[in-house]
Amino acid sequence: MSEIPSRPSDCATSGDPKRETSRGPNGGPSSGPSGDPKSTTVRIASSRLWEIYGSIGLLSAHRGLVPWPYATWDKAARRSLSRADVTIPGWLVHLFRTGAGSLPPFLLTVPASDGPDLSEELAPLGAVCRDRARAELEQRFPRGVPAEVRPLYADPEARAAELRAFLPRYWRAALAPYAATLRAATEEDILRRARTLATQGPEALLNAVGGIAVPGGVAVPGVMAVSGVSRLVLVPLLFGRGTPFSAVSPDGSEAALSYPVEGSAVLVGEAPPERRADTPERGDRLEILIGRSRAGVLRALVVPTTTSDLATTLGLAPSTVSQHLTALVAAGVARRRRAGVRVLYELDRPGVVLLRHLDHARGMRAAR
């Protein structure tokens, strides 16, 4: 689990060594200095900036097969970005690809309110600290900052200014057409989490999004640990699959952690596979071959993922997902591997060939 220092309140200060964030394959938070989650103020806040980063991470990670339910959005977004002549900076793409979808903390901010204006969230990028940015990049790349990221390392202030100009244009081209969908899904999730917080307390809410309370802070096993914070902000993301984002406020008193919104199937305008009859879609040879639910699981394995993440994304019961994964592994189209404390599932080579053949053939017919 790699260590990432929290954002110091002063550019010339290295920060409190007891207050730090650790990241690895996942993410999580909640708990005050005592380690008792009840002593921590927990709030839930949506963030357009974090959602933008999540979607860019998806585009950066996949140049071919995109996991369900993002494939339809992926195609539309790439076309729209091309028409608008909007290109994701190469150094940003490389940051996502080399960091398992994560970003260095100096590019993120803790949402000050629910649904802050994008310009408000981008304002801190106008005061990026060069020393802190370089320290975080050196820690991220202990063997040397790669050439693709050198522009960011050489001039963090200029690249931050580039982001402030680029991100609004990206939003208008790739996400603005889905703004109502994003807002509705996020608000529904926030209401559900708020009920959990009110009726069961912060510990239950933290557990629901994958975090645990530890002495003096919050952690997600194998992913992130934050100590010395008194407030936690949970940020729901429709594009939150994969490594969660995390950030610490400049004074170190507040930490933020993203988590995936349930029901991301709204991006394809339909209910998750198991919420309707498991009848194959006409012309979908993969669904005809193995059934709609299992086809959804197989397509989602384009990205290494866990049983619980699949259940959340697809809207299926964990037991159902587990049964599908067992069958897919037995058939040789998927494989499982252990990454720290997590068990990940992903496509095996025959699965990649199967998807490319059947889904490509389906796409060719649809285009006629």
Side-chain angles (χ1 to χ4, degrees):
M1 185 165 62
S2 59
E3 303 292 331
I4 298 178
S6 65
R7 301 175 64 165
S9 57
D10 189 294
C11 190
T13 306
S14 60
D16 182 351
K18 295 180 181 179
R19 185 177 289 122
E20 57 185 20
T21 359
S22 309
R23 293 184 72 103
N26 256 342
S30 190
S31 167
S34 67
D36 177 6
K38 296 179 181 179
S39 69
T40 302
T41 300
V42 179
R43 63 184 177 92
I44 310 169
S46 60
S47 166
R48 184 172 291 186
L49 175 62
W50 288 43
E51 197 75 82
I52 288 173
Y53 277 142
S55 68
I56 293 176
L58 182 73
L59 292 176
S60 300
H62 306 287
R63 284 172 278 188
L65 295 171
V66 177
W68 188 94
Y70 302 106
T72 301
W73 170 84
D74 175 87
K75 293 177 182 177
R78 291 183 190 276
R79 286 196 300 267
S80 182
L81 290 169
S82 177
R83 286 195 297 266
D85 195 25
V86 176
T87 303
I88 302 173
W91 58 265
L92 183 59
V93 171
H94 196 76
L95 275 180
F96 277 112
R97 289 179 179 170
T98 57
S102 67
L103 286 175
F106 74 89
L107 293 177
L108 292 159
T109 57
V110 177
S113 60
D114 180 35
D117 184 78
L118 181 57
S119 60
E120 177 186 339
E121 293 191 271
L122 292 176
L125 289 177
V128 166
C129 170
R130 176 175 297 211
D131 291 341
R132 180 169 67 238
R134 287 180 170 176
E136 290 182 6
L137 290 172
E138 288 168 359
Q139 193 163 23
R140 188 183 181 92
F141 302 106
R143 295 184 179 179
V145 178
E148 296 87 343
V149 185
R150 274 282 163 183
L152 176 61
Y153 184 84
D155 197 341
E157 298 95 331
R159 300 288 74 77
E162 179 185 4
L163 272 185
R164 293 181 70 187
F166 159 75
L167 293 174
R169 296 183 63 223
Y170 173 91
W171 164 265
R172 289 191 292 271
L175 293 179
Y178 298 83
T181 298
L182 292 169
R183 183 169 57 254
T186 301
E187 288 178 351
E188 180 180 346
D189 190 88
I190 289 176
L191 287 174
R192 182 166 56 251
R193 304 295 182 183
R195 283 195 293 269
T196 300
L197 179 61
T199 60
Q200 301 177 44
E203 189 168 12
L205 176 59
L206 181 60
N207 182 66
V209 298
I212 58 174
V214 297
V218 180
V220 174
V223 177
M224 167 192 174
V226 179
S227 62
V229 297
S230 58
R231 290 180 298 278
L232 169 68
V233 181
L234 297 177
V235 184
L237 298 181
L238 210 62
F239 291 90
R241 187 174 179 182
T243 304
F245 296 135
S246 66
V248 179
S249 62
D251 64 0
S253 65
E254 203 169 37
L257 171 78
S258 69
Y259 69 89
V261 168
E262 293 183 3
S264 54
V266 294
L267 286 170
V268 292
E270 60 185 44
E274 204 172 71
R275 294 184 184 175
R276 57 183 184 175
D278 199 15
T279 302
E281 180 182 336
R282 184 176 180 180
D284 191 326
R285 296 197 295 174
L286 182 62
E287 290 190 2
I288 293 172
L289 183 66
I290 63 177
R292 172 167 293 161
S293 298
R294 188 161 295 173
V297 172
L298 183 62
R299 285 174 171 138
L301 295 182
V302 170
V303 179
T305 188
T306 64
T307 301
S308 60
D309 284 346
L310 276 174
T312 297
T313 300
L314 301 177
L316 299 173
S319 58
T320 300
V321 172
S322 182
Q323 292 172 4
H324 288 322
L325 289 171
T326 298
L328 293 172
V329 170
V333 295
R335 62 187 176 190
R336 58 173 296 192
R337 61 182 173 86
R338 186 169 292 278
V341 298
R342 303 192 307 159
V343 175
L344 298 176
Y345 291 86
E346 60 190 348
L347 289 178
D348 210 340
R349 185 175 296 276
V352 173
V353 173
L354 179 66
L355 279 188
R356 282 180 176 166
H357 177 66
L358 295 185
D359 279 0
H360 175 70
R362 177 190 175 200
M364 290 294 289
R365 287 195 305 278
R368 291 174 184 172

Short mmCIF file of all heavy atoms in Angstrom, two decimals, residues 192 279 303:
data_model
loop_
_atom_site.label_atom_id
_atom_site.label_comp_id
_atom_site.label_asym_id
_atom_site.label_seq_id
_atom_site.Cartn_x
_atom_site.Cartn_y
_atom_site.Cartn_z
N ARG A 192 -30.54 7.57 0.32
CA ARG A 192 -30.44 6.22 0.91
C ARG A 192 -29.33 6.17 1.96
O ARG A 192 -29.51 5.61 3.06
CB ARG A 192 -30.20 5.20 -0.20
CG ARG A 192 -30.13 3.76 0.30
CD ARG A 192 -30.23 2.76 -0.83
NE ARG A 192 -29.22 2.98 -1.86
CZ ARG A 192 -29.48 3.45 -3.07
NH1 ARG A 192 -30.72 3.79 -3.38
NH2 ARG A 192 -28.51 3.61 -3.95
N THR A 279 -34.42 -12.34 -20.34
CA THR A 279 -34.66 -12.66 -21.74
C THR A 279 -33.61 -11.96 -22.59
O THR A 279 -33.42 -10.75 -22.49
CB THR A 279 -36.05 -12.16 -22.17
OG1 THR A 279 -37.03 -12.75 -21.33
CG2 THR A 279 -36.32 -12.53 -23.62
N VAL A 303 -12.61 -5.07 -16.62
CA VAL A 303 -11.79 -4.46 -15.57
C VAL A 303 -11.72 -5.43 -14.40
O VAL A 303 -12.75 -5.96 -13.98
CB VAL A 303 -12.42 -3.15 -15.08
CG1 VAL A 303 -11.58 -2.53 -13.98
CG2 VAL A 303 -12.56 -2.18 -16.22
#
